[in-house]
Structure formats: C-alpha cells, structure tokens
Amino acid sequence: MKFALLSTALLATFPSISGFPSIVNYCQDITFRVTSSAQNVLAKNPTVDFTNATEVVAFLTQETRPNPVSGTYSIYAQFCQPAGPIFGSPRPLQILVPGATYNHTYFNGLDRSPLPGNTNSWASYALSRGYATLSLDRLGTGMSDHPDPLNTVQAPLVAETIHQIIRQVRGGKKIPLPGLGHRKIIYVGHSFGSLLGTRISAEHPEDIDAIIHTGVAIPTPEQQGLRGTTTNVYLQASSYNPIRFPSSTYLPGYLVATSKDGRRNAFYSAPEDFSASLYELDFQLKDTLALGETLVQQPFAPSLTFNKPTFVLTGRQDAFFCGNGSRELGAPDCGSGPNSQLAAVKVLYPAVPDNKFDTYTQERAGHCNQLHYSAQVGFLSVHKFLAAHGL
C-alpha cells in the first residue's frame, strides 16, 4: 500500500504519458570510429575461477601495475528521435550506457529498438517526452569491437571511448539532429555504465550537462566482496555457446553467466516484482562480461569540479551494491532519503550544490531497476528532476 500511495503521489506531480501526442520514433544504427588512450592496469594473476568465492575476492583485490593502452575501435550506437517537434524548443540528447552483461537493448526494455508500448523501456519513455537518445554498445559488447577482454576492455579505456563519442557528437558528426552542437547532453548510466559516468564527469566534466546514475549506490565495507557473484556461474562465452559467441571474436576472458537462478538473484528483486517472461528473455539475450571490467581498483571516480545536476535512481533491493551480490545471501536494502546508500553517492560530487543533487529509491526493484513492474515510477522521478532543472 505504501508503494502504491507513493507512486500515485509522484505521478500526480507530472503530466501523464497520455497527455502527449502520439509519436512514431525514428531510429537508425550508427558506428563511431574512435581512437582512445588510457592508463589501464596489468593483473599479477590474470585468471580466476568465478565459481570460487575465495578466488573471486583474491582476483578483485590483487596487486596490479599501470598498463598504458591505446587503439582505434568501432563502437555501435542506436540513435533515436521523436518523429516531429514537440514541447517547443529542442530537448537535450540522452546518451545511454548499459552495465555489465548488457548491451544497448537494456535501455529498450530488451527490445531491439524502443517501442512505444514497452513499459520497461527507458528510451521509449524519454522519446515520449521529446528527448533524442543515443544508446551504446560499450567496447567489448553487442555489435561493437571485441578486443583483448583482460588488458584492453577495462574501465579507463572504455570511458575514454565514450568521451571520444561525445566529442564527435558535440562536433556535429554522425548524428542527423539539427542544432546538435548546441544541445545539452545528459549522460545516463546503469551499473558499470554509471561507474564509467563517474570517470567521465571527473576527467571530462565539460562533456555533459547532467548525469543520471541508475543501478548504483555506495556499498558498505562488508558488502564490497561481492561473494554472491559466484552464483552466476560465469564461464567462457565461446565454450558455453560457440554459435552465438564464436571463439574468433570472443577470446578467452569474455565470460557469460550460465546460472538462471544466480543471475535472477543478482539482478532482480522478489519474483512478484517482475515479469517471469521478461526475465526469460533477459537470460536468453544476456551479453558478456569482459574479465578486465572487474579489474576496477577504485570503482568510483570522485568528480571534484563537476557541478551540474546529478541524480541517482536505484532499486531498494539492489543486491549488487546494497548486498553481497545475491539475494541468496539475504534481502538487500539500499534505504531511502538522506541516509540511504544512494544519498552517499553525493560524496563523489562535492562541487554539486545540494539543490542540484537528488535520489529516488525505486520500490519493489532490484539491480536492473527498469526491468521491474515499477519501472515507470523510476523513469518519472528522473524526468521530473530533469524538468525541474530546465533540461
């Protein structure tokens, strides 16, 4: 009942989707060619058995040394815009960056493109409110290039590829959107995509005009071991499904979660909070985890000068950041309000004024908050915040 009342109150503060004109979205595939350099790390022990909790903790906490990398890569993106001017002046462009084991379809509610009737689609919701969207397949996922999964596909370099994409977008390249160079850009990340966002706002604060973190919170010290990740039973992708993940592309180190129960307990809340058929689709479509993505010695990058609107949206039962990686180890609770683990993200943004920082705890939702029945309330909380800041 509390959740229903909260949802009703929030919905009442913002126009309903039925109040806007019917829109047919226009989407197209884009490939960005980017040259990027970064300071990655070199692992002392490059192998790990992800079914062994002790090995996982040892791998994640091992000593590393700097490893400068550079290269030129092709990055796939799906660009969408509403098929007609609405709301008067052009809205900002939202750049959508998914988390580990997902590609751009995460923001489409697992559809190939954003469909108006998909209530789990962030992109569909944003398009209905006049925003254009650019959904990325991060380096090493989907239809983007798949370089060395251990030494190349790491957070520093992946963040730099996104920075180069933003530079191209701001320069008016690739995207057929009038006046794009003068539009504001909103960065939207989920999970690992949010961690990449903290790097971009820290190292390139001029890139973006607002940042939205979803599926993220500050874990307590006892939650950082992520012991529950072993229940996903990660195996080499090319061995698990050689047809979908051929060894010619998916080198050793590209992993895939093989336990249906383990993935569900890591990414979702209680069974009554989401569609069983949607989860089946999730498990079928899951993308890979590059081993290098886990080598993040400092997952959060403090953004000392970034001072623009910042919002955190996370499911209350996010086992990944507010548990130990799985509901099997106990029901997680990220909390809500100023003392929540979401609000703790503010420590990463000391220059953001209090009136430009806010959070929303999405009830009855886990780590993949937008794949739950309560997704629309979460979408609304974000776009209400953006509207309040003229975005």
Side-chain angles (χ1 to χ4, degrees), residues 85-108:
I86 60 175
F87 305 104
S89 60
R91 287 282 177 96
L93 171 70
Q94 294 189 14
I95 295 183
L96 312 178
V97 184
T101 78
Y102 288 98
N103 51 47
H104 77 280
T105 61
Y106 174 80
F107 285 101
N108 295 337

Side-chain angles (χ1 to χ4, degrees), residues 271-358:
E272 62 270 19
D273 296 338
F274 59 90
S275 163
S277 61
L278 183 64
Y279 177 66
E280 288 293 327
L281 183 63
D282 181 343
F283 191 74
Q284 292 172 21
L285 298 179
K286 61 185 179 294
D287 211 308
T288 55
L289 169 71
L291 192 55
E293 292 175 345
T294 68
L295 284 174
V296 185
Q297 301 297 316
Q298 292 182 317
F300 299 100
S303 302
L304 301 181
T305 63
F306 186 81
N307 60 0
K308 301 165 190 177
T310 304
F311 193 88
V312 182
L313 166 67
T314 297
R316 180 180 285 276
Q317 299 180 52
D318 189 318
F320 202 82
F321 282 96
C322 305
N324 250 305
S326 175
R327 287 172 53 82
E328 290 184 21
L329 301 178
D333 187 350
C334 293
S336 62
N339 296 319
S340 68
Q341 291 179 239
L342 285 71
V345 173
K346 179 63 171 69
V347 73
L348 304 175
Y349 293 96
V352 174
D354 289 344
N355 64 354
K356 289 186 178 181
F357 180 90
D358 206 353

Side-chain angles (χ1 to χ4, degrees), residues 41-46 57-66 295 297:
V41 298
L42 198 63
K44 183 177 181 180
N45 178 11
V57 173
F59 181 83
L60 296 176
T61 58
Q62 68 177 298
E63 293 183 11
T64 60
R65 57 185 175 86
L295 284 174
Q297 301 297 316

